[in-house]
Amino acid sequence: MTQTYGEKRVERLLKSLPSNRYFFVAEPEIVGSKTTRSRPDFVVVSAERGVIVLEVKDWKNIVSITQKKVTIIRDGMDGVEEEEDNPVEIAHDYALNLADAFEARAELRKKYRGREVLRFPWMYAAIIVHLDNDTKRKAEGLIWEKGRVLNSEDLQPDRFEKALQSIPAKWRLEKPLNKDILNIIRGVLDPELIVHDAKGEDVGTITVEQERIIKQPIKIKPAASPMDDFLTDEAIAVSQNTSVRLVRGVAGSGKSLVLAKRAQFLAANYPDANILVLAFNKDLVKDLEKRIGNIPSIEVVNFHKLCSNILGSKWRPPQKIEEWLSNWFADLMEQSNLTPEFVASEIEWRKELELYDNAEYLNVERKGRGRSLNKNKREVINTIMDQYIDYHHNESIRDWSDVPFVTLAELQTGHPLRHTYDFILIDEAQDFAPSWIKVILKLIKSNGDLFICDDPSQSLFRAFSWKQKGIEVRGRTRVLRVPFRCTREITLAAHSLINIDNTGDESEEIVKPDLQSYELASGDKPKVILVNRVEQEIKRVEDEVNILIHNGIMPSSIAILCHTKRIIKHWAHLRNQACYVGTFNQMKGLEFHAVLIPHLHTYFQVLGQEVDSEYIDSQRKKLFTAMTRAREMLILSATGNLPTELTSLQPYVELLYR
């Protein structure tokens, strides 16, 4: 509905109020049972005062006013009188209905003198824009209370807030409403902000900061030109007008939720736009598909499936480098104290950076590999890589690290998906390699919008900065600091591992959690179970699972997360009971009521060698990610002692010895 002059004027004033103390909703749909009125002009929420309902009227010619009715003459009606309901009574009816809706939420009620009442006062007022001061004063005390009606004189920027504060209330708050209560109020006023779980149950409300990110308007930019397809890479880089925004958040802060809601917002507001949502793996895709729903203009896919779609009939299932290495170089790797996984990751890293020069590789700085990469080992890797490249070329095989480069080549000219998407949204982007980002930039229109969610503390597979990925994020980053998923105790324990690791440039900083702004869920401290023998640990972990199931926890809500494939066999049979048993590399995007993380005594060991500090930091980050998969219960275990690399955990856990 088109706003009147008065409504526009009031809305401008409401927007000018301090956002840390007020928020408002225009024409909310109120579901209550007190009256039939359901759409007030404005509902204003003040942390210090409570809730205010405002009804706005632009009447210029008022003939008479009673408690129930107002007689007016409209412009252009030749003096014909009309009778309207008194806007104060209208506002009062809206307020009754709204209070009824608030009372339906138990969190908004409290006990007072033996009965339940709302935790905050509600108020109402009418704004009659053209009401003169004489008429207003005469009516005060006779028809309405003083302060119950505002007029043009109150609608001055320097007077408006004071006029709102003067609206009569039955009682006053002793202290400001906290953010949890304010968020529930927001959810009543706008049910679309309410977050539901897989069962459809209300699990919270999107926060103000999350809503701002979701609904941030798109800057209108020049349309993409068909000539983009004929520009060189350098010319496209120069002309690229892509808007970039990065949402960085702690684990459990709602990044995926914000991304899903952002995709829905874009689809609703830009119905002709092509929208691509990218995730790291299939599990994340399934989760995002559930959150977003079936919207024709939104495509949700993982990166490698996207590459498969682009390559079409040219797609070939990639080979795993580890298998080739094990077949051809098992003895050499064993003599050099190298594993197939280590050598494969080194080859993939070199290919990603296009570091094919052996002499250059011998001197390049290489950290965080868990062991020293001395000249002898690098020469072994050079020998293996030379033969792998020859094999790779002669047999025309393709491995996973080739996929983005082959896809880039396919996109160079003429491909129908080149510069097709108006909006691309990426979840868990910290694990996207530079070559992946190059593919994405080939798909987005030159005037498109790139929306990225990441958390460097949860990087499992990649170690590239946004600068290395070719994306400038400084000044374009919004941060979500409140960890809603985990209990306070789990959050404190997990963050104790990474608070001591805040290296890197500003664009890759670890986000510290905000544990004060909201009333976060509390629970038991995480347990650390220490036993004498491996057999005891295997049994104890299974016993803990059975206890959880006996106590009513659904098996599908219990996970055993293993840091290596080798130990999965000890608990793999629990999959038959629907428990999740998997490795750290499979846990992206997952969350569970209870998580068990066993065998930590071997977590930092690499073939019996000493490990470097960057490897330790990397392992801590992986463990942090595993720990933050737990919503309410977390159990760690080890045979012998807790590794010294995890001593920062001790103040935040309950140590159990057996």
Side-chain angles (χ1 to χ4, degrees), residues 285-330:
V285 168
K286 290 178 183 177
D287 178 65
L288 287 169
E289 285 176 336
K290 289 178 183 177
R291 292 176 188 260
I292 294 170
N294 185 20
I295 301 177
S297 62
I298 300 177
E299 179 184 356
V300 186
V301 67
N302 69 57
F303 178 77
H304 287 111
K305 176 60 177 174
L306 172 69
C307 293
S308 171
N309 294 342
I310 292 168
L311 292 170
S313 60
K314 297 179 183 178
W315 170 264
R316 298 201 309 273
Q319 174 179 289
K320 291 184 177 180
I321 300 177
E322 295 93 322
E323 294 176 358
W324 181 84
L325 291 171
S326 297
N327 290 335
W328 293 95
F329 288 98

Side-chain angles (χ1 to χ4, degrees), residues 207-226:
T207 68
V208 173
E209 181 61 23
Q210 290 171 336
E211 185 183 11
R212 285 175 184 156
I213 295 170
I214 292 165
K215 297 182 178 179
Q216 184 175 355
I218 298 295
K219 294 179 181 178
I220 303 300
K221 296 168 289 188
S225 167

Side-chain angles (χ1 to χ4, degrees), residues 8 31 62 306 408 419-420 493 589:
K8 291 178 181 177
V31 180
I62 298 175
L306 172 69
L408 270 172
H419 301 309
T420 294

Side-chain angles (χ1 to χ4, degrees), residues 2-20:
T2 304
Q3 284 186 317
T4 65
Y5 161 79
E7 290 168 348
K8 291 178 181 177
R9 186 174 174 184
V10 171
E11 184 162 18
R12 284 196 298 270
L13 289 166
L14 290 172
K15 287 180 178 179
S16 72
L17 294 172
S19 60
N20 62 332

Side-chain angles (χ1 to χ4, degrees), residues 4 6-7 10 41-42 54-58 87 125-129:
T4 65
E7 290 168 348
V10 171
D41 289 329
F42 298 101
L54 298 176
E55 181 68 9
V56 182
K57 296 299 181 185
D58 280 27
I127 299 178
I128 306 177
V129 178

Side-chain angles (χ1 to χ4, degrees), residues 587-606:
M587 67 188 173
K588 276 290 182 185
L590 303 178
E591 59 180 75
F592 304 90
H593 179 95
V595 169
L596 298 93
I597 306 174
H599 236 57
L600 289 178
H601 53 283
T602 63
Y603 185 52
F604 294 94
Q605 295 175 6
V606 181

